[in-house]
């Protein structure tokens, strides 16, 4: 299997869900791979690596309905100094909310980058409930879709895939509240404190 | 309260109205969000990075009108406005609710607002359409009750902003 370059675009790359999704993809890929964290990597080094592969997987979280800053910075740097090679870019995006469709705009931003660069756009996997799914009983669903993504990327057969916890919205609200309460409790912060209406210690008049 | 966020210096006369403020992000020190969720789970409502962003998001929260000025890149905001919008998540709680049938965060004391976005430098209709879709999504997460997008060329930015500000001053 040909080598794939996995680019982790998370602002918290070393401790990110994207890192875990990238690792699951790597396992499903089976062939040679190299991972770079866009947060730390020099864009010149990324461009250099892009000369050596025909396939790239960009893994990132949804940030404010769009691509996060390390991805935007990398797009801009690559546009300024484009590599000669034009690899196929596939995308694995995850978001905190339940609906994978909330990632559509960010995926289309990546597609627009590809169009502006003359790169082929490859396959896409959007994972909703992506903050929590890997530590839930539905981890297998994410892993299963990541395998399907790896197969589509290897076969150069662009597919658009989605995954999310198969639960009702009402259940998701309850489960996410439990998730965040436990998160706060680890820092000694109560649910009431987390639910403060104050911003910077002030309640706007 | 009305607030302008701009990614480029603007020569504006806001008079001595205290309810009008302009943040020129090109002259501010604002680091990108590091995704630590401290503003939800450690110091709720406050970002752990104590740079200029902490002056901006409380002000955005209490504004009933906002005007964003941004270059468009890949159908989204260019870095200065993007960085600031990511850093504004302390105005939300970690907790999730349903809004229009979709999951979204509960807002803290955030005034519903009218947003005007002066978006410049889009390359074509396709990029403008994507930007429209982005702002439609932002509206749900950023409490925009109404919004308008004004696509302009780089040279028309000042005029577009001035027109809006003059209307504010008359109000
Ligand atoms: C500043 C910021 C903005 C975010 N914006 C969104 C958003 O608009 N929609 C969403 O569903 N999740 C949003 N999230 C949640 C992340 O996408 C989610 O937690 C993801 O799992 C993080 O992945 P990572 O660990 O790979 O960085 C946001 C998180 C942060 C810190």
């Amino acid at each position: 299997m040909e080598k794939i370059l996995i680019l982790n675009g998370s602002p918290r790359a070393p401790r990110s869900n994207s890192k875990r999704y990238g690792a699951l993809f790597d396992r499903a890929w089976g062939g040679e791979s190299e991972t770079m964290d866009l947060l730390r990597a020099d864009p010149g080094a990324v461009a250099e690596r892009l000369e050596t592969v025909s396939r790239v997987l960009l893994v990132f979280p949804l940030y404010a309905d769009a691509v996060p800053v390390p991805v935007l910075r990398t797009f801009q740097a690559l546009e300024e100094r484009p590599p000669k090679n034009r690899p196929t870019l596939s995308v694995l995006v995850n978001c905190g909310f339940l609906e994978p469709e909330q990632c559509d705009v960010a995926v289309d931003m990546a597609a627009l980058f590809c169009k502006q660069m003359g790169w082929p756009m490859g396959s896409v996997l959007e994972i909703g409930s992506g903050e929590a799914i890997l530590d839930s009983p539905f981890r297998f669903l994410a892993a299963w879709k990541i395998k399907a993504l790896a197969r589509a990327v290897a076969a150069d057969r662009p597919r658009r895939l989605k995954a999310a916890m198969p639960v009702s919205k009402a259940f998701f609200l309850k489960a996410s509240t439990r998730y965040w309460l436990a998160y706060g409790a680890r820092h000694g912060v109560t649910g009431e404190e987390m639910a403060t209406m104050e911003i910077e210690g002030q309640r706007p008049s | 309260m009305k607030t302008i966020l701009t990614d480029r210096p603007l020569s504006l006369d806001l008079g001595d109205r205290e309810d009008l403020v302009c943040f020129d992000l090109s002259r501010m020190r604002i680091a990108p969000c590091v995704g630590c969720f401290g503003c939800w789970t450690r110091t709720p409502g406050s970002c752990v990075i104590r740079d200029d962003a902490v002056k901006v998001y409380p002000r955005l929260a209490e504004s009933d009108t906002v005007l964003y000025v941004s270059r468009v890149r890949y159908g989204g905001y260019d870095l200065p406005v993007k960085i600031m919008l990511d850093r504004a998540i302390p105005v939300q709680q970690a907790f999730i609710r349903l809004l229009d049938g979709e999951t979204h965060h509960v807002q803290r004391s955030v005034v519903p607002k009218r947003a005007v976005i002066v978006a410049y430098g889009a390359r074509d209709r396709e990029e403008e359409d994507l930007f429209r879709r982005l702002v439609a999504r932002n509206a749900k997460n950023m409490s925009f009750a109404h919004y308008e997008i004004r696509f302009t060329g780089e040279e028309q930015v000042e005029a577009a902003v001035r027109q809006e500000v003059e209307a504010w001053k008359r109000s």
Side-chain angles (χ1 to χ4, degrees), chain B residues 138-151:
Chain B
N138 289 163
K140 294 180 192 283
N141 291 319
M142 299 175 187
S143 304
F144 297 170
H146 305 280
Y147 64 85
E148 282 162 55
I149 306 171
R150 313 236 166 98
F151 290 106

Side-chain angles (χ1 to χ4, degrees), chain B residues 6-24:
Chain B
T6 172
D7 66 354
R8 52 193 284 143
L10 298 169
S11 51
L12 288 178
D13 174 19
L14 296 180
D16 51 8
R17 298 261 306 253
E18 273 178 23
D19 60 333
L20 308 186
V21 171
C22 178
F23 292 111
D24 176 358

Side-chain angles (χ1 to χ4, degrees), chain A residues 8-13 15-21 59-66 94-99 102-103 129-132 179-180, chain B residues 33-37 39-40 82 85-89 92 103-105 138 141:
Chain A
N8 180 348
S10 171
R12 55 178 184 185
R15 298 168 291 109
S16 61
N17 294 315
S18 297
K19 183 176 179 180
R20 298 171 74 192
Y21 291 122
V59 191
F60 65 87
L62 188 66
Y63 261 46
D65 304 299
N94 92 91
C95 72
F97 296 140
L98 181 60
E99 304 83 7
Q102 295 212 32
C103 302
S129 56
E131 170 72 25
Y179 176 89
W180 287 111
Chain B
C33 173
V34 296
C36 71
F37 293 129
C39 59
W40 292 348
K82 167 65 183 167
L85 295 182
D86 285 355
R87 287 289 304 284
I89 65 162
Q92 305 178 344
T103 53
H104 289 278
H105 288 288
N138 289 163
N141 291 319

